[in-house]
Amino acid sequence: MVSLGRTNLDVFPLCLGGNVFGWTADEQQSRAVLDAYTEAGGNFVDTANSYLVEHGRSETLIGRWLKERGNRDQIVLATKVGGGRDPRYRNLRADNIRSEAHASLDRLQTDYVDLYYVHHDDQETPLEESLRAFDALVTDGVVRHVAASNYSPERLTEALRLQRELGLAEFTVLQPHYNLVERDYERTLAPIADEWDLAVLPYYALASGFLTGKYRPGSAEVDSPRAQRAGEYLAKGGAALEALDQVAAARRTTPAAVAIAWLLTRPHVVAPIASARSTGQLAEILPAVKLELTPAETGLLSSATEPA
């Protein structure tokens, strides 16, 4: 376990993403993955109110699993508000934050969440209104810590300054889009994470599956809803795959584990977020938590791609 930044939470250094639960993984598959993850020592599960097929579906499946296993106190649970396609929910008005937080609690069958994120910024709602609503959830005890995702650098800085000036609950965790082939974060948000001492939990840690190595030029088409997105990396990510293959072969592990282990070498990164729709996929990524890359291996991987 590792400390999650300035929170009082200790987490497994690989966060299990719940975006596939109820989408590419049905309820039985989702429970199998959750069971295998916790049996391997995992305790950190990330979801959202808006994933992907039905509003709240991922939360509902996780909530039923938590109740049946009776392990809520052993799980660090994160969810989000302000995302999705439905305009009724894709906003950060105070009333929506409050009502959606309690709806998430009902679906998750818990009376608190450990980490509650802004999923996407809402520039039509006054920032102070949103931040005060998050603070009220912390005051009420239904949220332990608040966190940020998908803010621009300017808006994130403005939010952090406003929280501090007004004495509101502060974002202590940042969830950015960051992986070996998507490194714009290093230029845009990493300086803010450093200045404000934010714990970083990258999403799309495996670039929609591309960094697992199953998408390659000339390879057979992969049956996955993410195949098109992952395939877009083929033109620019060949060098990354070569470097991953080289390190994975030398260390007798998977390219996916190496890709996550590389993220764990980055400043402030605590627990990359990766999902698995089967226990087989989970087995490919779990070795990352014990894989300590050498400086030479880290340098090889970093030099295979360049930050934007």
Side-chain angles (χ1 to χ4, degrees):
M1 296 295 171
V2 291
S3 297
L4 184 59
R6 291 182 284 123
T7 74
N8 59 350
L9 303 172
D10 293 325
V11 298
F12 194 64
L14 174 67
C15 181
L16 184 64
N19 58 316
V20 297
F21 299 154
W23 177 40
T24 58
D26 62 23
E27 185 159 6
Q28 183 177 357
Q29 292 169 316
S30 300
R31 290 185 182 186
V33 169
L34 285 160
D35 284 340
Y37 172 72
T38 53
E39 287 167 7
N43 75 329
F44 195 7
V45 178
D46 178 90
T47 185
N49 67 335
S50 57
Y51 292 150
L52 269 156
V53 176
E54 174 188 329
H55 190 77
R57 178 66 173 163
S58 173
E59 292 179 323
T60 298
L61 296 188
I62 293 169
R64 286 204 284 256
W65 174 79
L66 287 168
K67 183 177 181 180
E68 290 187 8
R69 296 296 180 264
N71 62 352
R72 173 66 188 94
D73 291 343
Q74 286 77 52
I75 300 297
V76 175
L77 189 59
T79 192
K80 310 176 188 74
V81 66
R85 299 182 180 89
D86 192 326
R88 291 178 298 170
Y89 307 117
R90 193 182 174 96
N91 69 80
L92 295 175
R93 296 192 302 269
D95 59 345
N96 186 56
I97 291 171
R98 181 173 57 254
S99 63
E100 280 301 294
H102 286 278
S104 289
L105 293 175
D106 289 342
R107 289 188 290 261
L108 290 164
Q109 302 194 48
T110 183
D111 55 6
Y112 71 98
V113 293
D114 298 285
L115 204 58
Y116 200 43
Y117 284 94
V118 171
H119 200 169
H120 292 273
D121 189 14
D122 171 15
Q123 298 197 33
E124 295 182 4
T125 300
L127 194 55
E128 183 175 340
E129 176 184 339
S130 303
L131 299 180
R132 287 192 180 279
F134 276 91
D135 179 75
L137 294 173
V138 175
T139 300
D140 292 344
V142 299
V143 168
R144 296 179 69 184
H145 303 279
V146 293
S149 187
N150 297 305
Y151 272 116
S152 69
E154 296 76 18
R155 286 279 286 182
L156 179 58
T157 299
E158 183 181 357
L160 290 163
R161 288 176 176 167
L162 195 57
Q163 287 170 327
R164 188 154 296 180
E165 289 172 2
L166 297 175
L168 305 177
E170 295 186 11
F171 296 143
T172 53
V173 174
L174 175 64
Q175 187 178 138
H177 184 185
Y178 183 35
N179 56 59
L180 187 58
V181 290
E182 291 284 357
R183 297 175 61 182
D184 186 57
Y185 156 83
E186 294 176 13
R187 176 182 59 83
T188 58
L189 292 168
I192 301 171
D194 189 57
E195 179 182 357
W196 291 85
D197 192 20
L198 304 178
V200 176
L201 310 177
Y203 72 86
Y204 286 161
L206 294 172
S208 299
F210 174 74
L211 295 174
T212 65
K214 63 185 178 182
Y215 303 91
R216 297 176 185 271
S219 62
E221 185 174 338
V222 177
D223 180 18
S224 170
R226 293 181 171 186
Q228 180 177 354
R229 184 165 191 169
E232 294 172 358
Y233 290 109
L234 286 172
K236 68 175 183 178
L241 290 183
E242 291 179 7
L244 288 171
D245 287 342
Q246 182 177 334
V247 176
R251 301 298 291 272
R252 297 183 180 181
T253 190
T254 64
V258 175
I260 292 172
W262 177 83
L263 279 171
L264 285 167
T265 70
R266 305 295 89 190
H268 296 282
V269 171
V270 174
I273 301 167
S275 58
R277 59 176 174 166
S278 68
T279 55
Q281 288 186 353
L282 181 67
E284 292 185 16
I285 61 178
L286 281 172
V289 302
K290 295 182 179 179
L291 180 60
E292 294 187 13
L293 299 177
T294 67
E297 290 168 335
T298 301
L300 173 68
L301 293 163
S302 297
S303 64
T305 60
E306 294 294 336

